[in-house]
Amino acid sequence: MTRPRLMIPGPIEFTDEVMAAMARPTPSHVDPAFIDIFGQALEDLRKVFLAGPDYQPFILAGSGTLAMDSAVANLVETGDRVMVVGTGYFSQRMADIVRRYGGEVTLLDAPPGETITPEQLRGALARDAYELVTITHVDTSTGVLTDVRGLTAVAKDAGALVIVDGVCAAAAEEMRQEDWGVDVYLTASQKAIGVPPGLGLLVISPMAKTRWLGRTHPVGSYYSDWGYWLPIMEAYEARKASYFATPAVNLVMALAVSLRQILDEGMENVFERHVRLSNAVKAGVAAMGLGQVPTDMAHAAHTLTCPRYPEGIDASFLKFVREEGAILAGGLHPAIKGEYFRIGHMGAVSRSDVMTALAAVEAGLRRAGYAVEPGVALAAAQAELA
Ligand SMILES: *Cc1c(COP(=O)(O)O)cnc(C)c1O
């Protein structure tokens, strides 16, 4: 029995070992064996983000949006000035969350497909004082990769704390949280972390914790309040029982397996594999004569590819692609939604997944009436991988 490969920008294909952890009998959340698994997952999350022992990880039941909510609810107070680096749909969501918690948003917005450079951010920050800067590492709606290292350096120079939405980047794109000075790096389980949807993950710096401790008003969200969660995370890491709200036990067990698999491969190897496979996909897409949403491959993500439809093709062709073996996603950015589609290639993605996706796109395009010579994308991808 074959099923099409799920190659959207999350959820993705998960490893057999991760799925086996999901299928195990659910233990009590205070079972000593589970406490140890949770503690190990916290330690490993820090390692995957390349953060030191004084950085605090949180594993929460919820999606990536909950992780965003958690960062903002705890770090933003009414009247705080927040610079939102805008590279697409999810940067807009971050701006909405900041406003919901009383922050004053300045949006430094790039046109779809463009990025914001550290120089542009430096110029924008010079005009006023900002408590916080938010950055989307990879905006899933445009496939744009931001220069988190450069942007963070500029933001820190200006005295701001930095929150990075790494939902479509963590455990795939190069990220060195401590070296780069990122105060909050956050993600969700179902993207490159490689676990079914349902966990929001954050790691916060000592400076973020200090800022949170210095708040003058209570956190405006009950569930997101780090005041409840910090003691729980500390307890699990110390291998002690504790309870605030029931953790997503099977998801945490699956997370522990996936983080181990990622660390066994090694972070440098993980980053390199994503670059290599992404280059192969992009070469294949170009060989079929399709453009891409990012205006320059120097700022294109390595976790997904956003090809533009050729003349005469629209989202209806994706059903042919599915029949040919790969489930891909349509456009998401409201301004260009009907102009492009998205191929996710993150997490435990392999060379054969990438070949399957390209072969399915070739065949799908032909069935939709666009002339592609059979094998051109595959040949270009193979040449890239050789
Ligand atoms: C998917 C995604 C989110 C939202 O995550 P959910 O789990 O759907 O809530 C936020 N930011 C980025 C960059 C994403 O790719």
Side-chain angles (χ1 to χ4, degrees):
M1 188 64 190
T2 58
R3 59 179 176 83
R5 300 250 94 191
L6 182 59
M7 295 191 65
I8 64 173
I12 61 168
E13 292 284 339
F14 307 117
T15 67
D16 293 346
E17 294 78 11
V18 163
M19 294 316 289
M22 291 298 295
R24 275 162 53 193
T26 303
S28 157
H29 57 289
V30 291
D31 183 305
F34 176 71
I35 291 172
D36 193 48
I37 289 169
F38 202 136
Q40 187 66 50
L42 289 162
E43 290 168 15
D44 285 349
L45 182 60
R46 216 187 254 119
K47 291 181 189 152
V48 166
F49 289 5
L50 296 169
D54 51 350
Y55 282 60
Q56 178 61 51
F58 293 84
I59 297 173
L60 307 171
S63 79
T65 305
L66 188 266
M68 296 165 81
D69 186 276
S70 170
V72 174
N74 285 278
L75 293 178
V76 173
E77 290 198 75
T78 303
D80 283 351
R81 275 151 309 187
V82 181
M83 176 70 73
V84 173
V85 174
T87 46
Y89 180 93
F90 288 105
S91 312
Q92 291 289 344
R93 175 169 299 182
M94 188 67 96
D96 288 344
I97 299 172
V98 170
R99 290 190 195 99
R100 180 63 64 94
Y101 288 105
E104 286 172 20
V105 170
T106 304
L107 189 62
L108 178 60
D109 209 19
E114 310 250 1
T115 191
I116 295 290
T117 64
E119 294 65 37
Q120 286 172 297
L121 179 62
R122 193 185 300 281
L125 290 176
R127 285 176 226 131
D128 211 339
Y130 291 88
E131 275 81 23
L132 271 152
V133 171
T134 74
I135 303 165
T136 309
H137 197 169
V138 167
D139 203 297
T140 324
S141 70
T142 54
V144 165
L145 172 71
T146 52
D147 174 6
V148 168
R149 180 189 205 157
L151 293 168
T152 299
V154 165
K156 305 297 285 196
D157 261 3
L161 247 62
V162 176
I163 298 175
V164 178
D165 170 356
V167 179
C168 198
E173 299 286 358
E174 182 182 9
M175 174 66 203
R176 305 176 193 280
Q177 185 173 5
E178 184 164 6
D179 277 5
W180 294 1
V182 170
D183 294 294
V184 178
Y185 196 56
L186 63 91
T187 191
S189 53
Q190 78 275 18
K191 305 216 182 170
I193 287 279
V195 175
L199 294 176
L201 309 168
L202 301 88
V203 175
I204 72 165
S205 72
M207 271 181 72
K209 187 169 162 187
T210 302
R211 180 177 166 81
W212 167 72
L213 286 169
R215 288 182 64 95
T216 51
H217 296 287
V219 172
S221 159
Y222 182 84
Y223 185 77
S224 281
D225 191 343
W226 291 345
Y228 296 118
W229 290 113
L230 184 61
I232 304 301
M233 300 302 138
E234 288 173 342
Y236 273 112
E237 203 166 346
R239 308 304 196 262
K240 290 193 200 117
S242 67
Y243 168 76
F244 165 58
T246 310
V249 174
N250 283 69
L251 285 167
V252 173
M253 296 196 299
L255 176 68
V257 171
S258 194
L259 293 173
R260 263 293 111 204
Q261 291 182 324
I262 291 165
L263 291 171
D264 284 348
E265 182 178 356
M267 294 319 298
E268 305 306 323
N269 295 331
V270 167
F271 300 150
E272 194 269 334
R273 175 170 53 82
H274 282 85
V275 170
R276 189 158 29 87
L277 294 176
S278 171
N279 288 345
V281 174
K282 287 168 176 63
V285 164
M288 289 184 285
L290 311 191
Q292 291 180 42
V293 174
T295 51
D296 187 331
M297 287 305 109
H299 64 249
H302 304 102
T303 48
L304 79 160
T305 298
C306 297
R308 290 185 167 278
Y309 296 121
E311 197 61 39
I313 302 294
D314 61 22
S316 64
F317 113 101
L318 295 173
K319 80 174 185 303
F320 297 129
V321 179
R322 184 194 180 107
E323 286 166 16
E324 298 293 337
I327 298 170
L328 307 181
L332 178 62
H333 193 294
I336 52 169
K337 200 173 164 47
E339 300 173 16
Y340 70 109
F341 63 103
R342 297 176 297 154
I343 308 170
H345 35 79
M346 66 185 102
V349 62
S350 70
R351 200 184 159 101
S352 71
D353 296 326
V354 157
M355 291 302 171
T356 299
L358 287 173
V361 171
E362 277 189 5
L365 285 172
R366 275 197 303 281
R367 284 177 59 185
Y370 176 78
V372 188
E373 197 189 315
V376 279
L378 294 172
Q382 265 169 327
E384 185 64 41
L385 289 170

